[in-house]
Amino acid sequence: MVPVPRRVSARSRASASPELPGPDWVLAGRGLVDGHLQPIEIGISDDGTIVALGRDLHAPERHDVGESVVLPSATDLHVHFRDPGGPADVENFAAGTIEAALGGVGLVADMPNTRPAVTDASRLEEKRARVTGRTAVDVLLYGALTATSRVDQLAMAAGALKLYLSPTTGVERPPTRAEIPGLLQRAAASGLPLTVHAEDPAQFVLEPPPTSLSDWDRARPWTAEAAAVEEVIAAAPRELRLHFAHVTSARIAERIAKAGHSFEASPHHLLLSRASKVGPRAKVNPPLRSEGERAHLWELFALGGIPCLASDHAPHAASAKDVAFPLAPSGMPNVETMLPLLLAKVRAGELDLARLTAAAMDRPSRWIGQPRGRIALGHRADLLVVDFRSRRKITAGDLHAPCGWTAFEGYEGIFPREHYRAGERIVLAGEYIGTPTGVVRRPEFAA
Ligand code: NCD
Ligand code: ZN
């Protein structure tokens, strides 16, 4: 289409900026206005920008989704797409970003514990080449903050930094306690946001080898998480933009909130406990906690006390997981199911939609310096259409992760019916119909 600027009709009761062109088409449905679902119309220009909001908008084309709800697409701050290094038949950028698109996620932040790990600019470039033009949604790339990584180089190219304080998949030797303040200083000097995997390995009890989810919780207890969080808070320079990954306990969440830092909770810690019958497939770092701890974390999330939701999508082959507990790697897939699981909780009346959109869309986008996650004038039209009546039982056969399994088998999910990326439809009737045009994003903080 030729991008001919059109004025918004004088009859329109709409907000539109005089600098923006008129809409080429209008998406009409219901949306959150002042925390309540109301009819909304979104005017979208030919270049995929939201240029008008209101009622009775005029444009050459109109798509009315009736009672369905239009939401911004989600930003997932925590995925492991295993690319490069694979195994590619477990996960890779092309497949992982299609899962994201189908799950309503429009931007993913990919972790650096790939093979090889992203520790300098050349590794970052190698990863960038695997994203550009090959992914269904945009990607932000983490660099690894280690004693030997080239943070000066990463600062020029990475989207954020990740610090692992304990051994986990792809991380054998975490920094010593004495190294932590220096690493936090380097992160602050880089100007990049920093996400910390906070567990203190000095508090792990790994002998005798844990053989169940309950053992795993006792082996890497919440107190190990609390100790690492305290240590990082105490050593963090004021100017550091700090975020804690996968918080498992309401007490720790409240502590981080009090210190004024950002943090996330993951769907498995909100919805599953160590009582899960899934065995080693539900082995994750940090571990699933008790049912009581899970219930407290959920309660805090439902009250709006947890700023961000992030999947910690960390797939492993079923053959690697279905072994004796001590031998199984930690991590489970989640990027396609995160939002559908939580949308089902909204429908069940257990979660407020405005709180979910704050945690899954708005706050993660702000933390990572991306102008997205809200339906606002001048934002890119990255939007979802959700029909709350179309619930379905989650089953691995319907999902798209090459690893082929989910710990949420049988759980209710509400998957977006449509997903728009810059005004282009990439998901229709729950099927991916897009082309791989994803780009690598970096933070855009106001100076
Ligand atoms: C992650 C993985 O497999 O890469 N595993 C996990 O249990 N979350 C690593 C990590 O984030 O700890
Ligand atoms: Zn992770």
Tab-separated table of all heavy atoms in Angstrom, residues 8-9 12-15 23 26 41-44 52-59 62:
chain	number	residue	atom	x	y	z
A	8	VAL	N	-7.437	11.982	10.445
A	8	VAL	CA	-8.514	11.363	11.214
A	8	VAL	C	-9.747	12.242	11.019
A	8	VAL	O	-9.648	13.467	11.056
A	8	VAL	CB	-8.138	11.302	12.711
A	8	VAL	CG1	-9.279	10.742	13.521
A	8	VAL	CG2	-6.883	10.480	12.899
A	9	SER	N	-10.880	11.622	10.739
A	9	SER	CA	-12.097	12.389	10.489
A	9	SER	C	-12.409	13.334	11.638
A	9	SER	O	-12.212	13.012	12.806
A	9	SER	CB	-13.255	11.411	10.311
A	9	SER	OG	-14.454	12.048	10.624
A	12	SER	N	-14.391	12.012	14.449
A	12	SER	CA	-13.859	11.009	15.364
A	12	SER	C	-13.690	11.569	16.772
A	12	SER	O	-13.107	12.626	16.944
A	12	SER	CB	-12.497	10.521	14.875
A	12	SER	OG	-12.624	9.956	13.605
A	13	ARG	N	-14.205	10.831	17.740
A	13	ARG	CA	-13.921	11.190	19.131
A	13	ARG	C	-12.681	10.415	19.504
A	13	ARG	O	-12.733	9.325	20.047
A	13	ARG	CB	-15.101	10.811	20.016
A	13	ARG	CG	-16.263	11.762	19.909
A	13	ARG	CD	-17.395	11.341	20.807
A	13	ARG	NE	-18.098	10.183	20.279
A	13	ARG	CZ	-18.264	9.052	20.926
A	13	ARG	NH1	-17.757	8.888	22.120
A	13	ARG	NH2	-18.917	8.059	20.391
A	14	ALA	N	-11.534	10.949	19.122
A	14	ALA	CA	-10.314	10.157	19.253
A	14	ALA	C	-9.169	11.027	19.701
A	14	ALA	O	-9.193	12.234	19.550
A	14	ALA	CB	-9.980	9.546	17.900
A	15	SER	N	-8.149	10.344	20.281
A	15	SER	CA	-6.913	11.065	20.508
A	15	SER	C	-5.980	10.715	19.370
A	15	SER	O	-5.792	9.555	19.041
A	15	SER	CB	-6.302	10.678	21.851
A	15	SER	OG	-6.217	9.289	21.961
A	23	PRO	N	-4.932	6.807	10.228
A	23	PRO	CA	-4.834	5.349	10.175
A	23	PRO	C	-5.188	4.791	8.798
A	23	PRO	O	-6.053	5.322	8.117
A	23	PRO	CB	-5.855	4.898	11.215
A	23	PRO	CG	-6.790	6.040	11.395
A	23	PRO	CD	-6.051	7.288	11.048
A	26	VAL	N	-8.294	0.106	11.004
A	26	VAL	CA	-8.708	0.202	12.406
A	26	VAL	C	-8.959	-1.202	12.939
A	26	VAL	O	-9.616	-2.016	12.273
A	26	VAL	CB	-9.979	1.076	12.538
A	26	VAL	CG1	-10.614	0.914	13.913
A	26	VAL	CG2	-9.646	2.535	12.266
A	41	GLU	N	-11.061	1.327	19.763
A	41	GLU	CA	-10.672	1.274	18.356
A	41	GLU	C	-9.241	1.758	18.277
A	41	GLU	O	-8.879	2.767	18.892
A	41	GLU	CB	-11.602	2.150	17.518
A	41	GLU	CG	-13.019	1.613	17.516
A	41	GLU	CD	-13.949	2.401	16.616
A	41	GLU	OE1	-13.474	3.276	15.861
A	41	GLU	OE2	-15.165	2.133	16.686
A	42	ILE	N	-8.435	1.015	17.541
A	42	ILE	CA	-7.011	1.345	17.425
A	42	ILE	C	-6.730	1.633	15.954
A	42	ILE	O	-6.922	0.764	15.095
A	42	ILE	CB	-6.142	0.160	17.919
A	42	ILE	CG1	-6.503	-0.177	19.364
A	42	ILE	CG2	-4.650	0.480	17.794
A	42	ILE	CD1	-5.914	-1.485	19.855
A	43	GLY	N	-6.301	2.876	15.679
A	43	GLY	CA	-5.985	3.262	14.301
A	43	GLY	C	-4.517	2.976	14.022
A	43	GLY	O	-3.630	3.402	14.770
A	44	ILE	N	-4.255	2.209	12.970
A	44	ILE	CA	-2.891	1.742	12.675
A	44	ILE	C	-2.470	2.253	11.292
A	44	ILE	O	-3.222	2.125	10.320
A	44	ILE	CB	-2.852	0.198	12.746
A	44	ILE	CG1	-3.223	-0.246	14.175
A	44	ILE	CG2	-1.477	-0.337	12.350
A	44	ILE	CD1	-3.533	-1.694	14.329
A	52	ALA	N	-3.919	6.440	16.155
A	52	ALA	CA	-5.163	7.003	16.685
A	52	ALA	C	-5.788	6.010	17.643
A	52	ALA	O	-5.660	4.792	17.480
A	52	ALA	CB	-6.130	7.319	15.549
A	53	LEU	N	-6.423	6.537	18.679
A	53	LEU	CA	-7.126	5.705	19.652
A	53	LEU	C	-8.433	6.385	19.968
A	53	LEU	O	-8.481	7.601	20.097
A	53	LEU	CB	-6.312	5.601	20.953
A	53	LEU	CG	-5.031	4.771	20.912
A	53	LEU	CD1	-4.224	4.991	22.187
A	53	LEU	CD2	-5.364	3.293	20.752
A	54	GLY	N	-9.505	5.629	20.079
A	54	GLY	CA	-10.750	6.280	20.466
A	54	GLY	C	-11.947	5.518	19.963
A	54	GLY	O	-11.933	4.285	19.915
A	55	ARG	N	-12.996	6.254	19.588
A	55	ARG	CA	-14.231	5.638	19.091
A	55	ARG	C	-14.563	6.270	17.751
A	55	ARG	O	-14.166	7.380	17.461
A	55	ARG	CB	-15.368	5.906	20.076
A	55	ARG	CG	-15.071	5.460	21.489
A	55	ARG	CD	-15.316	3.976	21.682
A	55	ARG	NE	-16.732	3.709	21.813
A	55	ARG	CZ	-17.397	3.810	22.969
A	55	ARG	NH1	-16.786	4.169	24.068
A	55	ARG	NH2	-18.676	3.558	23.010
A	56	ASP	N	-15.271	5.527	16.926
A	56	ASP	CA	-15.725	6.015	15.613
A	56	ASP	C	-14.577	6.501	14.742
A	56	ASP	O	-14.672	7.539	14.100
A	56	ASP	CB	-16.756	7.155	15.782
A	56	ASP	CG	-17.940	6.720	16.618
A	56	ASP	OD1	-18.316	5.531	16.506
A	56	ASP	OD2	-18.461	7.535	17.379
A	57	LEU	N	-13.474	5.763	14.757
A	57	LEU	CA	-12.353	6.125	13.889
A	57	LEU	C	-12.709	5.784	12.444
A	57	LEU	O	-13.429	4.820	12.185
A	57	LEU	CB	-11.085	5.368	14.283
A	57	LEU	CG	-10.507	5.602	15.671
A	57	LEU	CD1	-9.186	4.843	15.816
A	57	LEU	CD2	-10.278	7.080	15.920
A	58	HIS	N	-12.171	6.565	11.526
A	58	HIS	CA	-12.422	6.302	10.107
A	58	HIS	C	-11.132	5.931	9.418
A	58	HIS	O	-10.110	6.561	9.639
A	58	HIS	CB	-13.048	7.531	9.440
A	58	HIS	CG	-14.444	7.746	9.916
A	58	HIS	ND1	-15.537	7.307	9.217
A	58	HIS	CD2	-14.908	8.293	11.055
A	58	HIS	CE1	-16.627	7.596	9.904
A	58	HIS	NE2	-16.277	8.192	11.034
A	59	ALA	N	-11.181	4.915	8.597
A	59	ALA	CA	-10.011	4.470	7.857
A	59	ALA	C	-10.510	3.608	6.705
A	59	ALA	O	-11.637	3.098	6.748
A	59	ALA	CB	-9.083	3.669	8.771
A	62	ARG	N	-11.194	-1.884	8.127
A	62	ARG	CA	-11.572	-2.056	9.531
A	62	ARG	C	-11.673	-3.544	9.845
A	62	ARG	O	-12.192	-4.319	9.040
A	62	ARG	CB	-12.947	-1.377	9.715
A	62	ARG	CG	-13.470	-1.386	11.110
A	62	ARG	CD	-14.867	-0.740	11.106
A	62	ARG	NE	-15.429	-0.853	12.412
A	62	ARG	CZ	-15.197	0.013	13.409
A	62	ARG	NH1	-14.453	1.071	13.192
A	62	ARG	NH2	-15.726	-0.176	14.594
